[in-house]
Coordinates of all heavy atoms in Angstrom, one line a residue:
G7 N 10.5 -0.9 -24.7 CA 11.9 -0.4 -24.8 C 12.3 0.0 -26.2 O 13.5 0.5 -26.3
L10 N 13.7 5.2 -31.4 CA 14.5 5.7 -32.5 C 15.9 6.0 -32.0 O 16.0 6.7 -31.0 CB 13.9 6.9 -33.1 CG 14.7 7.7 -34.2 CD1 14.8 6.8 -35.4 CD2 13.9 9.0 -34.6
I33 N 13.0 -17.9 -23.2 CA 12.5 -16.7 -23.7 C 13.4 -16.3 -24.9 O 14.6 -16.3 -24.8 CB 12.5 -15.5 -22.7 CG1 11.7 -16.0 -21.5 CG2 11.9 -14.3 -23.3 CD1 10.2 -16.1 -21.7
A39 N 11.3 -7.1 -40.1 CA 11.3 -5.9 -40.9 C 10.3 -5.9 -42.0 O 9.8 -7.0 -42.4 CB 12.7 -5.8 -41.5
W52 N 15.8 -21.7 -20.0 CA 15.5 -21.7 -18.6 C 16.5 -22.7 -17.9 O 16.7 -22.7 -16.8 CB 14.1 -22.2 -18.3 CG 13.8 -23.6 -18.7 CD1 13.4 -24.0 -20.0 CD2 13.9 -24.7 -17.9 NE1 13.2 -25.4 -19.9 CE2 13.5 -25.9 -18.7 CE3 14.3 -25.0 -16.6 CZ2 13.5 -27.1 -18.2 CZ3 14.2 -26.3 -16.1 CH2 13.8 -27.3 -16.9
G56 N 21.6 -21.1 -20.5 CA 22.3 -21.1 -21.8 C 21.7 -20.0 -22.7 O 20.5 -19.7 -22.6
T58 N 21.8 -18.3 -26.9 CA 22.2 -18.5 -28.3 C 21.8 -17.2 -29.1 O 20.8 -16.6 -28.7 CB 21.6 -19.8 -28.9 OG1 22.1 -20.0 -30.2 CG2 20.1 -19.6 -29.1
Y59 N 22.6 -16.9 -30.1 CA 22.4 -15.7 -30.8 C 22.4 -15.9 -32.3 O 23.1 -16.8 -32.8 CB 23.5 -14.7 -30.5 CG 23.5 -14.2 -29.1 CD1 24.2 -14.9 -28.1 CD2 22.8 -13.1 -28.7 CE1 24.3 -14.5 -26.8 CE2 22.8 -12.7 -27.4 CZ 23.5 -13.4 -26.4 OH 23.6 -12.9 -25.1
K64 N 25.7 -11.4 -33.0 CA 26.7 -11.8 -32.1 C 27.8 -10.7 -31.8 O 28.2 -10.1 -32.8 CB 27.4 -13.1 -32.6 CG 26.7 -14.4 -32.4 CD 27.4 -15.6 -32.9 CE 26.6 -16.8 -32.7 NZ 27.3 -18.0 -33.3
G65 N 28.1 -10.5 -30.6 CA 29.1 -9.5 -30.2 C 28.5 -8.1 -30.0 O 29.2 -7.2 -29.5
R71 N 18.5 -12.7 -18.3 CA 17.2 -13.0 -17.5 C 17.3 -12.4 -16.1 O 18.4 -12.5 -15.5 CB 17.0 -14.5 -17.4 CG 16.8 -15.2 -18.7 CD 16.6 -16.7 -18.4 NE 15.3 -17.0 -17.8 CZ 14.4 -17.7 -18.5 NH1 14.6 -18.2 -19.7 NH2 13.2 -18.0 -17.9
L80 N 17.1 -7.5 -23.7 CA 17.9 -7.6 -24.9 C 18.7 -6.3 -25.0 O 18.1 -5.3 -25.3 CB 17.1 -7.9 -26.1 CG 18.0 -8.1 -27.4 CD1 18.8 -9.4 -27.3 CD2 17.1 -8.1 -28.6
Q81 N 19.9 -6.3 -24.6 CA 20.8 -5.1 -24.7 C 21.4 -5.1 -26.1 O 22.1 -6.1 -26.5 CB 21.9 -5.2 -23.7 CG 22.9 -4.0 -23.7 CD 22.2 -2.7 -23.4 OE1 21.5 -2.6 -22.4 NE2 22.5 -1.7 -24.2
A96 N 9.1 -14.1 -27.2 CA 8.3 -15.3 -27.3 C 8.8 -16.3 -26.3 O 10.0 -16.2 -25.8 CB 8.4 -15.9 -28.7
N106 N 8.1 -20.7 -35.5 CA 6.9 -21.6 -35.4 C 6.9 -22.5 -34.2 O 5.9 -23.1 -33.9 CB 6.8 -22.4 -36.7 CG 6.4 -21.6 -37.9 OD1 5.9 -20.5 -37.8 ND2 6.6 -22.2 -39.1
T115 N 7.7 -4.5 -30.3 CA 8.1 -3.1 -30.0 C 9.0 -2.6 -31.2 O 9.9 -3.4 -31.6 CB 8.8 -3.0 -28.6 OG1 9.1 -1.6 -28.4 CG2 10.1 -3.8 -28.6

Side-chain angles (χ1 to χ4, degrees):
L10 174 63
I33 305 293
W52 69 271
T58 189
Y59 296 90
K64 279 181 182 176
R71 298 176 73 114
L80 184 68
Q81 178 67 44
N106 287 343
T115 185

